[in-house]
Amino acid sequence: MSALLAGKRLLITGIITDASIAFSVAKLAQENGATVVLTGFGRLSLVERIAKRLPAPAPVIELDVTNAEHLAGLADKVREHVDGLDGVVHSIGFAPQSCLGGGFLDAPWEDVATAVQVSTYSYKSLATACLPLMGRGGSVVGLTFDATKAWPVYDWMGVAKAGLESASRYLALHLGERGIRSNLVSAGPLRTMAAKSIPGFEQFEQAWSDRAPLGWDLQDQEPSARAVCALLSDWFPATTGEIVHVDGGYHALGA
């Protein structure tokens, strides 16, 4: 993968800890020649501290994807560090606790709406906020968890991910005329901060470890990060609206 992303300017969201997929993407991207700008939400000092563990310095921009002012000013904030973008990574998801852990029938619309806005609609919001910085050959890549099935305890986040997968296809449709691609990486379960926030998520872990044809390491974010970097590169110039599964092959099995 040496210099796979040489000269690329990337905006990467979603770094919370160095165990996140987004951190692994940023690290691999820098190692392969990219210039990286990060976004953070809430505790920016924490994101800035984690960013110092990357191979090279990376600026951090505050971004709340539900905040219209943040989105409207994002392009100008990014221009303070790079003169354009070649790729954007969406690694953002959130659902209130009522929407997870078996509460599907009881979660109120207000909580479901929050999950959909943050986890689904933000994919479009982030992409359009970055459009003034992107030209032909650009790539938007998001992260999902297989939404073709109903998973125990995943509940409304599963619905939000199904929406994300559909949104990526529609983004591919509407951005295609600009020469900009939209693709997702569907990662198997990983012991990230996001996974730890889902009650009962460990139910997925043993099944994946036991059944994935290639095996599955619950603590190795690099395979998923490599797929993201590949989709950000010039090696998939005619691929858009796609979902690349990085799950050890689990998705291909029957029930």
Side-chain angles (χ1 to χ4, degrees):
M1 291 180 65
S2 178
L4 181 72
L5 297 172
K8 297 291 187 185
R9 302 153 299 174
L10 307 178
L11 182 70
I12 299 176
T13 67
I15 289 182
I16 302 175
T17 71
D18 56 4
S20 63
I21 297 174
F23 179 88
S24 189
V25 171
K27 179 176 179 291
L28 280 172
Q30 286 186 340
E31 290 172 349
N32 284 275
T35 299
V36 169
V37 178
L38 309 176
T39 73
F41 170 65
R43 297 171 59 188
L44 280 190
S45 60
L46 174 61
V47 180
E48 290 167 347
R49 186 163 68 248
I50 297 300
K52 291 178 181 177
R53 301 176 187 175
L54 291 170
V60 180
I61 296 171
E62 183 178 16
L63 177 63
D64 175 356
V65 289
T66 68
N67 185 314
E69 291 183 3
H70 283 198
L71 290 165
L74 181 60
D76 287 338
K77 292 282 188 182
V78 172
R79 284 193 188 99
E80 294 176 9
H81 306 286
V82 291
D83 58 359
L85 288 175
D86 303 291
V88 177
V89 177
H90 179 280
S91 182
I92 299 170
F94 170 77
Q97 282 299 303
S98 66
C99 296
L100 301 162
F104 184 85
L105 298 179
D106 301 316
W109 166 243
E110 292 77 11
D111 288 353
V112 173
T114 296
V116 171
Q117 182 179 14
V118 177
S119 309
T120 307
Y121 187 75
S122 67
Y123 187 69
K124 190 281 302 185
S125 299
L126 179 65
T128 53
C130 292
L131 277 183
L133 301 167
M134 300 183 74
R136 301 192 71 83
S139 177
V140 182
V141 182
L143 289 158
T144 188
F145 185 77
D146 188 2
T148 62
K149 303 173 181 65
W151 301 102
V153 311
Y154 208 46
D155 294 334
W156 285 103
M157 182 57 88
V159 176
K161 290 297 188 183
L164 173 66
E165 294 177 6
S166 183
S168 178
R169 290 188 287 270
Y170 277 98
L171 205 62
L173 170 65
H174 290 285
L175 296 186
E177 62 185 19
R178 299 171 181 249
I180 298 173
R181 296 165 283 140
S182 172
N183 294 289
L184 300 178
V185 170
S186 181
L190 293 163
R191 288 179 180 164
T192 61
M193 184 73 74
K196 291 176 182 177
S197 70
I198 301 173
F201 195 75
E202 65 276 0
Q203 294 180 43
F204 298 112
E205 298 180 344
Q206 193 60 49
W208 240 272
S209 298
D210 291 344
R211 296 190 62 207
L214 292 176
W216 185 247
D217 186 339
L218 298 162
Q219 301 188 77
D220 186 4
Q221 294 80 25
E222 187 167 323
S224 300
R226 281 176 173 255
V228 172
C229 287
L231 289 168
L232 290 168
S233 78
D234 295 330
W235 282 91
F236 285 88
T239 298
T240 193
E242 186 59 89
I243 301 174
V244 177
H245 289 82
V246 183
D247 64 354
Y250 188 95
H251 74 282
L253 305 183

